Every structure is written in C-alpha cells, then in structure tokens.
Amino acid sequence: MYANKIYSLAYKMVNNHEDAIDIVQEVFLRAYKNWDNFKGLSKFSTYLYRVAVNLCYDFLRKKKREKKIENLNYENYPFSSNSNSGVEENLMEERIIKEIKNEIDNLTEKQKAVFILKTFEDLKYEEIAKILKKRVGTIKATYFQSLQKIRENLRKKGVIKNEM
Amino acid sequence: MRCKDFEKRILDLIDGKIDFKEKKFIERHIQVCDRCKNLYNDFVFILEKAKGIHHLELKEEFWKSKLDLVFERRIHKFLLKPVLIGVFLFFLIVGPLIKRVYFLSPQKIPVSVVKTDVFNHELPFTEDEIIKYSDYMSEKEVEKILDFFFSNF
C-alpha cells in the first residue's frame, strides 16, 4: 500500500508520527487534486514520492523557522504487529542504532531524502533521480557524502573505531 | 586502482552491481589499502545498522479511515462550490421565466376587466394582444377566460 511507504519516508524525514500522518494525507490530497496533471510519464509511486519529499522539505524548513520541539507519542496509534521487530536488540546495538538515527536527522534535507530513499525504501539511483529531479551522478555523490558524514560523526562519538 | 577510483565504485560494490573482473581489482586494492578497507567496512556497518532503525507501519484500516475522511471532506468542499454556483445560475436564468409565468400573467388580464368588457361587447385587447398575453397565462387560465367569453356571448 502506498500510504505506508509514504508514511515511512515522511516519518524518517520529519521524525514525528503526527506530522508524518499529516504529510501522507497531504500527499494523497495533492495527488487527487492534480490527478489530471499526472501524465503517466513516471511511475505513480515516483510521483507520490516526489510530492512527499517536497512536502517534507517544506515541513522541515517551516520547522526550522519555528524551532518547535515536539515529543513523540506513539501509544495512541494502531501499529501493526510487526512494528516492534528488532526491539530485542542488546543495549550496545540499540545505542549504535540510536546514534545512526541521530546522524541521519543531522543530514541536510537533500542528503536525508537521498539516504532514506536509497537505504530504507530500496530505490534505485535512477528512481531517486527522477523523484528529486537530479542527475544520477548527483544522487550517487549525495549518498556517498551522507554516508561519509554519518561515518565521520560516528567516529567522533566513538561508535566507529576504524582509522579514516 | 587508486583510492579515488575505489570511492567512485564503493556504492556499486555495496549494492553488488560490479562485475567479477572489477570486483577482483577492488579486492586487491582493499587488501593493500587500509583506508579504503575501513571505508568499505564502515559503510557496510552503517547501512546494516540503519536497517535496524525502528520501522513503524500502520494498519491498512487506519489509512483507509484516515484517507477516506480526508477525501470525503475534500469532495464536500469541491462539490459545495459548484452546487452553490449552479443553484445561483439556475435562479438567475430560470427566475425571470418563473416570474413571468407565475406572477405577471394573471395580473395582466384581470378577469374582472375581461368580464366587464365582454358585457359591453368590447374586448380590452386586440387579437394580437390576446395572443401575446395568453403566452403568459397557463392553459387553464386561458380556458377559463375563453369559457367565460363564450358563455356570455
């Protein structure tokens, strides 16, 4: 289902459940409203991802301006049974994952979008290029930079100990 | 292979999109270059751990109800405007016609006037005028006047 895919992307981009749901709704509204403009030149999922990424950019910019701090509250939402998979990780593993998550949040909007679409949505570079309207080379370079940035910061925090 | 070349190919290497021959070149480079070896290992490590990031998935029913609600609201919003405009246009166009048919015609030919003039053997209107005004009258009204006319002649 598209909604969960878009939600997954939006959630990772904005890091807030409520906002991610709002973005999903807005994505579908815009898709519905602009249905006549969708010429079928790209896949529908690509089109939805594009709208979602743009909305996430808008949201992040707005949030940056407002400097709003929000707390996460998932308890009131009906998560499916597989949502808690991976919870049984050991503490070290959890710390690493948490650190990586923080580092993803610290990426720039564009790096974040590329990283999420590639790593979590498993999209090809060509698909990401279509969504973000960039060249494949640019997407690859952005992905490389985002990985490098995460690596450097993890190293500074002592999560990664390899020499650079 | 130089480190720069390795960096260009590292993402394809991680994706497994490198042919056998090139893979051999890269492996040979990694064996002698700790910097690139660490880079590769770190990238693989980060990506593997990133896959463990808590993934939230909401039930389909949730989306269905949520999106249905939004679309319903949007449909109402979309429909309300045209419906109101339609009603307005309808009354704008049809209103004057209704006014002519239901409000003007009966007053134009008051039965009393016709009655009086008929008794005086003088019709208040010319034949053309009767035809013209009869357009504004309902069929029953015309019949009524004609009946009256003929019954008194």
Side-chain angles (χ1 to χ4, degrees), chain A residues 92-104:
Chain A
M92 188 62 194
E93 187 84 357
E94 272 183 22
R95 192 205 151 203
I96 294 168
I97 290 171
K98 200 180 165 191
E99 290 293 350
I100 291 174
K101 196 170 180 289
N102 287 340
E103 291 312 320
I104 295 168

Side-chain angles (χ1 to χ4, degrees), chain B residues 3-29:
Chain B
C3 294
K4 279 276 168 201
D5 299 324
F6 176 79
E7 282 180 9
K8 280 180 191 166
R9 304 298 286 146
I10 187 171
L11 295 176
D12 287 332
L13 180 69
I14 290 169
D15 282 349
K17 286 177 183 169
I18 275 184
D19 61 46
F20 182 76
K21 202 178 164 185
E22 201 176 0
K23 201 177 172 187
K24 284 282 161 199
F25 269 117
I26 289 172
E27 280 173 357
R28 224 173 288 159
H29 177 74

Side-chain angles (χ1 to χ4, degrees), chain A residues 54-102:
Chain A
N54 287 334
L55 283 171
C56 289
Y57 283 167
D58 291 345
F59 177 85
L60 290 172
R61 271 175 223 140
K62 202 178 159 191
K63 201 180 172 189
K64 214 174 176 180
R65 278 199 299 270
E66 289 173 359
K67 289 182 181 172
K68 207 163 79 180
I69 299 161
E70 289 167 336
N71 295 319
L72 302 179
N73 180 14
Y74 308 133
E75 284 166 20
N76 299 328
Y77 295 93
F79 298 119
S80 53
S81 56
N82 63 348
S83 63
N84 289 328
S85 61
V87 169
E88 300 298 319
E89 302 280 347
N90 61 44
L91 285 174
M92 188 62 194
E93 187 84 357
E94 272 183 22
R95 192 205 151 203
I96 294 168
I97 290 171
K98 200 180 165 191
E99 290 293 350
I100 291 174
K101 196 170 180 289
N102 287 340

Side-chain angles (χ1 to χ4, degrees), chain A residues 145-159:
Chain A
Q145 284 160 10
S146 56
L147 273 166
Q148 273 282 42
K149 198 172 170 182
I150 292 170
R151 183 190 181 221
E152 273 173 38
N153 291 334
L154 289 180
R155 202 176 140 268
K156 279 178 197 164
K157 289 176 182 173
V159 179

Side-chain angles (χ1 to χ4, degrees), chain A residues 13-66:
Chain A
M13 287 287 284
V14 302
N15 206 13
N16 183 296
H17 174 70
E18 295 281 353
D19 296 330
I21 287 178
D22 286 346
I23 287 171
V24 174
Q25 289 180 335
E26 192 58 34
V27 167
F28 281 92
L29 273 180
R30 290 202 184 180
Y32 178 75
K33 206 173 163 184
N34 299 318
W35 181 250
D36 292 338
N37 299 337
F38 177 65
K39 288 162 190 160
L41 296 174
S42 58
K43 280 197 283 183
F44 186 60
S45 57
T46 306
Y47 172 68
L48 286 182
Y49 274 129
R50 189 183 302 153
V51 178
V53 168
N54 287 334
L55 283 171
C56 289
Y57 283 167
D58 291 345
F59 177 85
L60 290 172
R61 271 175 223 140
K62 202 178 159 191
K63 201 180 172 189
K64 214 174 176 180
R65 278 199 299 270
E66 289 173 359

